Every structure is written in structure tokens, then in C-alpha cells.
Amino acid sequence: MSLEELIAQADARGLAASGLACSDRCVSLVVEDDELLRPLWAHLVDDSDWSESLQKVRAALDAVEPGSEAAEVARGMLLSAPAARDGEALREWAEACSAGSLRVHRLLDPAHGSAEDALPLVEAELGRQTVVLQLLAEHGPQGLRRALDVSGEGRRVLRAVVSRRARAQA
């Protein structure tokens, strides 16, 4: 099943997890706090309102100076998260986060290819997005822990790419 089909079939928790996972993998471009999004994940686990925690995330992101294009895409993903985790706004956010995360990975991919080229970093991100949605579709709320693990792995990969790029430019 394609990523688009998985997003189209996802329930509200799956959409929220998909958008949050994409954001989680990219947020280290904006802030170094790996725990910043942890409360949002907790709200998905217990299915509670995340609006207050989302406001805290937004405040933390607003306090950071603008950065690279990739960092600004990552920031925009979280700033555009809907306070209510239902309805069409959530689906639009999940789709936007998917596209945004792929854009971030394309911008940072060491292969520097065009949008049509098979870029390893982009391909890996596409795979992570698919796995997260499959985990939620197959396991429901129990898939959230594994989805968080997949996100953490992706965040570490992206951080390593950024670190290598910085060393090469130094």
C-alpha cells in the first residue's frame, strides 16, 4: 500500500502519530531538546487533549531564531499542528508533514539529486513514514511505542547527516 493510501485510510490517532513522527524526526534541526515532543506522544498514548502541550512546543519554537531552509520547514510542521486531533485539518496536517519531512530530507541528502532522483536519505524517510502508518494501522495504540522508536532512529540519522555536513564545511 502506498504512503498516500495509508494516510487516506488512517484514523485520527494514526494521522496525529504520522504528523508528529515526521515532525519529531526533523525537530532537531530547530532545537536540541529530544524531549520537547515527548508530551505530545504521551497524549497520543492516553488519547488526551494535546492543545496545552502543543502551545508549549510552539512557544519553545518561537523562541528560536530562524535557521536554514530545512530548519524552517521543520519549524513550520509543528507550528501548523492543529490543536484538535480530529477532522480534515488533522489529515491535511499529516499530509503536509509527510511532504515537509521529505523536503527536509531532500534538502539535506548528501546525494544532492533532483526531486526525481532516488536519494538514499529521502528513500529512508519514505520508508519510515510508511512503517509508522503501518504500525498504527496494524497495532492501534500499541504501535505508538514502536512508532516513537522509528522516529528516534530517523532523528539520529538526520542529526548525523547534519553533523557530517557541518564538518565538511568547516
Side-chain angles (χ1 to χ4, degrees), residues 39-40 43 48-59 82-84:
L40 298 177
H43 290 294
S48 61
D49 178 33
W50 76 355
S51 59
E52 186 176 319
S53 293
L54 185 59
Q55 282 304 110
K56 291 177 183 175
V57 167
R58 288 178 177 154

Side-chain angles (χ1 to χ4, degrees), residues 36-159:
L36 179 66
L37 303 184
R38 193 64 80 153
L40 298 177
W41 283 103
H43 290 294
L44 290 182
V45 170
D46 66 14
D47 203 27
S48 61
D49 178 33
W50 76 355
S51 59
E52 186 176 319
S53 293
L54 185 59
Q55 282 304 110
K56 291 177 183 175
V57 167
R58 288 178 177 154
L61 295 174
D62 282 340
V64 177
E65 291 295 319
S68 67
E69 181 181 356
E72 289 309 299
V73 171
R75 178 199 304 258
M77 289 163 48
L78 282 162
L79 293 177
S80 66
R85 291 193 331 256
D86 59 10
E88 192 57 30
L90 186 59
R91 185 169 309 283
E92 290 172 7
W93 179 65
E95 290 170 349
C97 286
S98 172
S101 184
L102 290 170
R103 182 172 171 211
V104 164
H105 285 76
R106 189 172 294 112
L107 289 167
L108 298 175
D109 201 302
H112 299 296
S114 70
E116 292 78 33
D117 291 338
L119 302 172
L121 195 60
V122 174
E123 291 298 317
E125 171 58 13
L126 187 59
R128 283 185 198 92
Q129 289 185 27
T130 301
V131 166
V132 166
L133 285 161
Q134 288 172 334
L135 285 167
L136 274 290
E138 294 170 12
H139 304 288
Q142 292 76 25
L144 284 168
R145 180 69 198 143
R146 180 68 182 118
L148 182 58
D149 291 343
V150 168
S151 255
E153 171 194 342
R155 187 178 341 103
R156 287 185 293 279
V157 167
L158 197 59
R159 190 176 287 137

